Amino acid sequence: MKWKEQILDLGAYQPGKSIEEVKKQYQLESIIKLASNENPYGCSPHVDEALKQMDSSFMLYPDGNASQLREATASHLGVDEKQLIFTNGTDELVQVISRAMLEPGKNTVMASPTFPQYKQAAIIEGAEVREVELVNGDHDLAEMLSAIDEDTAIVWVCSPNNPTGIYIPESEIRDFLRQVPSDVLVVLDEAYYEYVTDPYDSLSLIDTFPNLIITRTFSKIYGLASFRVGYGIASENIIQQLEPVRLPFNTNVLGQRAATTAITDQAFVEGCRKKNTAELEKYYTFCKDHQLDYFPSQGNFILIDFHLDGDEVTEFLLTKGLIVRSGKALGFPTSVRITVGQEEHNEQVRSAIKELITEKV
Ligand SMILES: *Cc1c(COP(=O)(O)O)cnc(C)c1O
C-alpha cells in the first residue's frame, strides 16, 4: 500500500504503564501512578456536580464552537473569544498547527529533549525536523535562532519544559521573539503554566508578537486529562487560519462542561500550585541530602539523575508499586521523571529511592 514513506518506521506513542497492568504484573494491592504529570489532587469538586446536572441529550453533536467554554476561558484570561481555539487536548493542537503549516520542503525547529509530539507531527507531515540540544535542561534559544532559515515554518518552545521543568524567563523569551522572523510561527507550550510560582504575563506577548501562539491545557493542573481539552491563544488571524484544519466536533460535550466549570474554580488551582511547590522543595532537600542531581522544576514533576540505568530505577520503583517514567524514552537515559504527588506518596517514593541507592552503594 501507498503509505507515506516517513511513517513506515515511526513508532506509536508509548504511554506509561497503567495501574491495572502493574497490579497484575507485580501482584500488588496499592499502586501509585506518578508517570504522566496528572494532578494528584484530582479536579475541582464543582466538576462532579456540574456533570451530574447535565441533561443527557447525548444523541446531539457537541457545540463545535465550544461557546460556553470559550466565553469562560476568554473571561478568565482577559482575551477576546476570537483569540481562542479549543482542541482534543493540546496534542491535537500540535497536530492542527503542523497540518496547517508543515510539508516536505519546510522545516521546524525545536529543543531536544522536549515534548515528543512536536517531532512526531512534523515527521508525519514530511517536514524536516531541526533539534537543538538543551543546555542544562534549558532551551538554547540562540542556537534555535541560528537554526531558523527561510524554509522554517514553526519554532516550538516548551516552558516549563517537559521533561526538565525549566521555565524560560520573560526577558529571554522577549529577546528571542524579537529576533524570530515575523513569518515564522512560534508555539509557546505552557502546559504547566499554572504551576509556575512566579509567572510573567505571557499572554501580553501576543499583542506585540502576532506570530506567537500560546498553548495550554486542562489536563495538568485542572486535573481533567481524561476529558481531553486543550486550547491555543493567539492573534485572531492565526486562529482564523487554524480553524479550517480543526475537526468540526473535536471537543466533546462532557469535556466542554468539565473544563468550563474547572476554569471558574481558581481557588482549587491555587491550592494545587502551593502544595506542588511545597512538595517540590522536599524533593530538592532530599536530592541534596543524597547527592542526587536534579533540575529545579516549575512543573509538577522532577527529573532526577541517578547515574544508573533509568529503566532499572523505574523497574525497581515498580516493584514497590510506584509507576514513574524512565528517562530512557525521554532523552535522559540515567534519569527518571517523577510526577509530584500527594505528600505521603512522595514520601513513599523517597523512601524507595533511599532503599535503592543504599543498596547500590
Ligand atoms: C502533557 C503535555 C501536553 C499535552 O496535554 P494534553 O492537553 O493532555 O494533550 C502538552 N505539552 C506538554 C509539554 C505536556 O507535558
Side-chain angles (χ1 to χ4, degrees):
M1 282 187 286
K2 296 160 187 163
W3 302 110
K4 288 182 176 179
E5 180 87 38
Q6 64 269 26
I7 71 159
L8 294 177
D9 297 321
L10 197 59
Y13 178 74
Q14 298 297 325
K17 279 203 164 81
S18 78
I19 291 181
E20 286 314 312
E21 252 178 292
V22 177
K23 260 190 188 162
K24 230 175 164 176
Q25 192 178 347
Y26 296 89
Q27 311 276 311
L28 292 165
E29 288 289 303
S30 121
I31 307 286
I32 302 158
K33 183 170 183 275
L34 298 167
S36 303
N37 307 339
E38 292 130 330
N39 187 336
Y41 310 104
C43 66
S44 162
H46 302 318
V47 169
D48 234 17
E49 274 315 302
L51 291 179
K52 280 190 192 126
Q53 282 163 15
M54 283 179 78
D55 69 31
S56 47
S57 307
F58 295 136
M59 68 291 189
L60 300 177
Y61 280 103
D63 171 7
N65 187 47
S67 307
Q68 289 182 332
L69 176 57
R70 183 176 297 276
E71 198 183 321
T73 307
S75 152
H76 170 62
L77 299 175
V79 299
D80 195 281
E81 289 184 26
K82 296 196 187 79
Q83 290 185 272
L84 297 170
I85 182 170
F86 292 92
T87 49
N88 200 255
T90 315
D91 283 348
E92 194 200 18
L93 186 49
V94 172
Q95 191 181 54
V96 166
I97 295 167
S98 302
R99 286 194 76 183
M101 289 195 147
L102 299 179
E103 61 193 336
K106 293 202 179 142
N107 71 67
T108 177
V109 176
M110 64 193 70
S112 174
T114 188
F115 189 59
Q117 292 307 310
Y118 319 143
K119 182 175 180 179
Q120 186 87 356
I123 291 173
I124 294 167
E125 301 306 330
E128 182 202 338
V129 177
R130 298 189 173 174
E131 296 177 279
V132 176
E133 283 293 308
L134 297 175
V135 176
N136 293 327
D138 199 359
H139 284 60
D140 186 343
L141 293 175
E143 267 313 301
M144 289 177 76
L145 277 174
S146 331
I148 296 172
D149 66 15
E150 62 196 30
D151 296 321
T152 304
I154 311 172
V155 182
W156 304 87
V157 178
C158 185
S159 176
N161 187 43
N162 182 0
T164 55
I166 300 279
Y167 183 57
I168 305 170
E170 176 172 19
S171 58
E172 283 178 35
I173 282 283
R174 274 189 187 277
D175 213 42
F176 174 74
L177 287 167
R178 265 194 291 268
Q179 295 174 76
V180 174
S182 60
D183 62 347
V184 173
L185 181 72
V186 177
V187 185
L188 179 58
D189 183 343
E190 294 190 330
Y192 301 96
Y193 172 78
E194 298 85 356
Y195 279 110
V196 175
T197 44
D198 187 18
Y200 63 91
D201 176 19
S202 50
L203 295 180
S204 72
L205 296 171
I206 288 170
D207 299 328
T208 321
F209 302 101
N211 57 330
L212 172 68
I213 182 166
I214 292 176
T215 69
R216 292 188 187 167
T217 182
F218 285 94
S219 300
K220 302 287 157 63
I221 209 165
Y222 287 103
L224 301 176
S226 68
F227 287 106
R228 313 304 301 126
V229 185
Y231 59 104
I233 314 136
S235 63
E236 225 180 292
N237 284 341
I238 291 179
I239 300 297
Q240 261 174 18
Q241 212 49 69
L242 291 174
E243 273 294 323
V245 184
R246 170 180 78 78
L247 293 178
F249 302 109
N250 60 337
T251 58
N252 66 71
V253 69
L254 297 173
Q256 288 182 21
R257 174 58 70 89
T260 304
T261 311
I263 204 164
T264 56
D265 189 355
Q266 289 299 317
F268 173 81
V269 170
E270 196 178 319
C272 293
R273 172 172 54 245
K274 286 190 170 144
K275 282 181 271 192
N276 182 67
T277 306
E279 288 304 311
L280 268 172
E281 286 297 334
K282 294 181 200 168
Y283 266 110
Y284 299 161
T285 307
F286 175 84
C287 288
K288 284 173 197 151
D289 287 350
H290 295 85
Q291 283 92 49
L292 290 167
D293 293 329
Y294 66 93
F295 291 114
S297 172
Q298 292 280 342
N300 66 333
F301 54 88
I302 182 166
L303 189 70
I304 302 178
D305 191 350
F306 290 84
H307 300 288
L308 297 168
D309 183 292
D311 286 354
E312 278 176 29
V313 177
T314 304
E315 198 62 32
F316 175 83
L317 293 174
L318 272 180
T319 66
K320 307 283 174 190
L322 302 164
I323 314 178
V324 301
R325 203 70 197 263
S326 168
K328 268 255 170 96
L330 306 174
F332 289 90
T334 58
S335 296
V336 164
R337 191 193 67 195
I338 304 168
T339 302
V340 177
Q342 297 183 22
E343 183 174 25
E344 65 169 290
H345 296 163
N346 301 331
E347 277 163 13
Q348 284 180 50
V349 170
R350 289 190 291 267
S351 81
I353 292 176
K354 210 163 158 176
E355 196 180 316
L356 171 77
I357 55 186
T358 27
E359 225 172 62
K360 294 269 171 189
V361 169

